[in-house]
Each structure stands twice: as structure tokens, then as C-alpha cells.
Amino acid sequence: MKKLGIRCLVALTLLGMAATLKPAWGQEVTASIVGTVSDQTGAPIRGAQVVATDTERGTQWNAQSNDSGAYSLLRLPIGNYGVKISATGFDTAVRPPFTLVLNQIARVDVQLKVGKVSETIEITGAAPVLQTEDAQVGTVMDSNSIENLALTTRNYIQLTLLSPGVVTTDPSTFEYGSQTTQGAINGGGRPYIN
């Protein structure tokens, strides 16, 4: 009888502890598109319709510019996107598809020309989309890059050295790994990130 009481007490304690834990949220796997819509004189255009289309899936994401001409499309799945911006009394502007990578904030600013509603202007030769919202530096290693790189020691941790802000005190220790005595003495080729 005493054992049953202890088991019940332990079970209730564990249940209480589990109920107080907060769920762990995964890392974001999205990106964003932000920008401003203005006319040829630089004045902001309010109420412009902004449509970002995922060229691989065909999904469309809509936004509207505010009083200062700014718009934002947040939490977009990573992929290739084309942007179409239209406003009453102005020509429609179409930005050719570009790639959004993980956690990128792409800025797409557009100046619309006064014209008929039915005309569409396709933007070509535009500057590449840059992340200008913050000063973070990052890189994405896709599977093709990893497969095509030659790793002489077969140590996948060497791939970290290809990212910005990653250094090691002694690259030659990567050949030992962290399990050997020599690797433990030299730090095992451990990378230091910023």
C-alpha cells in the first residue's frame, strides 16, 4: 500500500513538472520581403497592391502599401519569388524572380510610372536583392555544395570554416578529430564562431 502511494506521488510530481514546461519552438525557416512604393518624383504611393508569387509552388502572398509607401511580406517560406506591384493610375511593375534564403529580409523598392492601368512594365537589369535591414552575415550550405566539396579528412566540421566569422586556431588539427590524444591536446580543430 505504501509503495502504491509513493508511485502515485512520483507520478503526480512528474505530471506537474511536465505541465509547467513551455514548448520549445524550432528555428524560423522563413524569409521576408520589404520595400517602398513611390512615384517618379519619389512621393510615396498609398494603397499599392504588392503580390509576391512563389514560382515553384504557385502560392501568392499579398500586401498593401501604407501612408508612407512601405509594405512588408513577413514569414514567407524560402524559395524563388517574383514580385508584382500595381496601383490605380500607375503602370504595373513586375520584378523578375529572385531567391529568398533562410532568415533573409529582401528589400524591393519600386518607382511606378504614371500610366494606364492595363500597362505592365517589367523590370530588367535590376540590382540583386540584398539584405539591408541588419548587419548580420550568414551563409547557406545547400546539399549540392556539400557534395561537391572535397574533404580530405572526411571531417564534416571542416565545412563550418566556410561560413563568415568562423575561424580555428590550428586547421591542421582537423585531421586528428576530438577523440584522439593529439586532438584533445590541440583542441581537436574546434572552430570558433565570432
Side-chain angles (χ1 to χ4, degrees), residues 35-181:
T36 57
V37 182
S38 59
D39 62 13
Q40 290 176 318
T41 64
I45 298 176
R46 179 180 189 250
Q49 298 297 319
V50 180
V51 179
T53 304
D54 186 340
T55 59
E56 296 166 356
R57 299 175 197 95
T59 309
Q60 291 188 339
W61 303 82
N62 299 308
Q64 192 172 15
S65 62
N66 61 15
D67 291 336
S68 61
Y71 70 90
S72 60
L73 295 159
L74 306 174
R75 299 180 59 104
L76 299 173
I78 57 175
N80 295 320
Y81 287 87
V83 177
K84 180 179 177 182
I85 301 175
S86 60
T88 306
F90 293 91
D91 292 340
T92 301
V94 178
R95 172 88 159 117
F98 57 91
T99 302
L100 279 180
V101 295
L102 184 66
N103 293 329
Q104 178 183 7
I105 301 173
R107 175 165 285 282
V108 179
D109 296 327
V110 175
Q111 284 190 339
L112 297 179
K113 296 180 182 178
V114 176
K116 299 177 187 172
V117 179
S118 62
E119 288 186 29
T120 300
I121 305 295
E122 186 169 339
I123 301 170
T124 57
V129 178
L130 300 176
Q131 181 165 329
T132 59
E133 299 304 310
D134 58 31
Q136 291 181 353
V137 179
T139 187
V140 175
M141 293 292 293
D142 61 356
S143 61
N144 288 334
S145 299
I146 293 171
E147 287 175 4
N148 293 326
L149 286 173
L151 295 175
T152 57
T153 63
R154 312 287 286 164
N155 187 347
Y156 63 91
I157 297 176
Q158 284 181 323
L159 293 174
T160 59
L161 295 176
L162 299 175
S163 298
V166 179
V167 296
T168 184
T169 55
D170 187 8
S172 66
T173 58
F174 271 108
E175 64 191 60
Y176 299 118
S178 61
Q179 302 301 319
T180 64
T181 306

